[in-house]
Amino acid sequence: MRSFDKIRNAFSTSLGFFGIILLFVLCFGFAIPSAAGDVIYTLDVPGINISIPDGFTAITRNTKETDPAFRTLKTYGLTIDDVVAFMKEKNAYLDAFDKNVEYEIVVMSETRDDFPDFNSLSDKRLTSLKSDFSPIFEDAGVKMNSYEIYQHLQKKFIKIEFRRTVEEDTTYGIMYFTVHGNTMVYVALHSYLGTVPASKDAMLKKVIDSVS
């Protein structure tokens, strides 16, 4: 069994690579009840609607302690205040897991007055930012496997495939992020099974396309 401290170290660092509920799931070994059908969540901050796929259960800052998604965690002494405090610390607004805790979707956001709206930047300029981001990823121990521009109906996103290893634990994932107005939004898929399969890549694209 991987230790609590080790998992916390792996997923509580920069760039938001963390698993809020995973810390407790891996330590205590229980399953999370999954929702039936895609569910649309309205996140007041960053001011978006986003659809989370069938089979995932999400916790947001507005989740009630009586919500089935939280009920199991409560039996282990975790309060909703603990979760919300941790989400605030990491600028997270939604954390969703599939039934077997093999894949995680995280939505993070922060206000950035020092970064231009991506819609105002050319694809060439956004592509050139790769050289700026690479050392940031490297400093966090993250290997950037691919980098591309994705044109959403309303927003431009940068899409990055990555992997991160801490001791023997490797997390693979895909992250989309954008700056719209003065709000930076990250939507990331983490895989705890290995590289992200094409089916999950397509699933995340569907999530991104749902953002409004």
Side-chain angles (χ1 to χ4, degrees):
M1 181 67 69
R2 285 172 282 185
S3 72
F4 183 88
D5 288 341
K6 188 179 194 180
I7 299 170
R8 179 183 292 279
N9 180 59
F11 297 103
S12 300
T13 54
S14 60
L15 297 175
F17 296 133
F18 69 99
I20 296 172
I21 309 308
L22 186 68
L23 299 176
F24 301 92
V25 172
L26 292 183
C27 288
F28 297 114
F30 55 80
I32 294 178
S34 56
D38 292 4
V39 179
I40 297 175
Y41 291 86
T42 298
L43 306 178
D44 294 336
V45 177
I48 64 171
N49 297 313
I50 188 167
S51 179
I52 299 301
D54 181 22
F56 278 74
T57 297
I59 290 179
T60 73
R61 295 188 184 187
N62 294 322
T63 297
K64 304 299 182 186
E65 229 166 346
T66 54
D67 191 294
F70 189 77
R71 191 176 299 147
T72 307
L73 299 176
K74 187 177 179 180
T75 66
Y76 289 92
L78 185 66
T79 70
I80 197 65
D81 290 339
D82 294 331
V83 173
V84 171
F86 192 69
M87 294 181 88
K88 287 181 177 179
E89 179 187 345
K90 300 302 176 183
N91 296 316
Y93 290 85
L94 181 147
D95 197 10
F97 285 91
D98 68 335
K99 182 178 180 179
N100 296 318
V101 199
E102 296 170 342
Y103 298 97
E104 175 193 22
I105 298 171
V106 183
V107 179
M108 296 159 284
S109 179
E110 58 182 312
T111 300
R112 292 297 297 267
D113 293 324
D114 59 334
F115 224 99
D117 190 310
F118 278 10
N119 282 341
S120 70
L121 301 178
S122 67
D123 286 359
K124 181 178 180 180
R125 175 62 182 128
L126 284 174
T127 300
S128 72
L129 293 176
K130 179 180 180 180
S131 61
D132 297 321
F133 292 135
S134 290
I136 298 174
F137 275 66
E138 290 173 3
D139 287 347
V142 179
K143 170 68 175 177
M144 188 187 301
N145 295 330
S146 70
Y147 179 105
E148 62 184 271
I149 309 304
Y150 179 68
Q151 181 62 63
H152 177 272
L153 185 62
Q154 300 170 336
K155 307 169 178 65
K156 282 185 179 180
F157 284 86
I158 292 175
K159 176 186 177 184
I160 295 173
E161 294 187 35
F162 64 87
R163 75 172 186 271
R164 182 167 190 262
T165 301
V166 177
E167 297 184 19
E168 75 270 21
D169 297 306
T170 299
T171 303
Y172 295 83
I174 299 173
M175 178 177 71
Y176 287 80
F177 75 97
T178 187
V179 178
H180 191 65
N182 65 343
T183 303
M184 183 175 286
V185 179
Y186 307 76
V187 182
L189 172 70
H190 302 153
S191 168
Y192 302 108
L193 288 180
T195 56
V196 178
S199 60
K200 297 303 181 184
D201 188 350
M203 178 195 73
L204 183 61
K205 179 180 177 297
K206 183 179 177 183
V207 171
I208 295 299
D209 288 341
S210 78
V211 173
S212 62

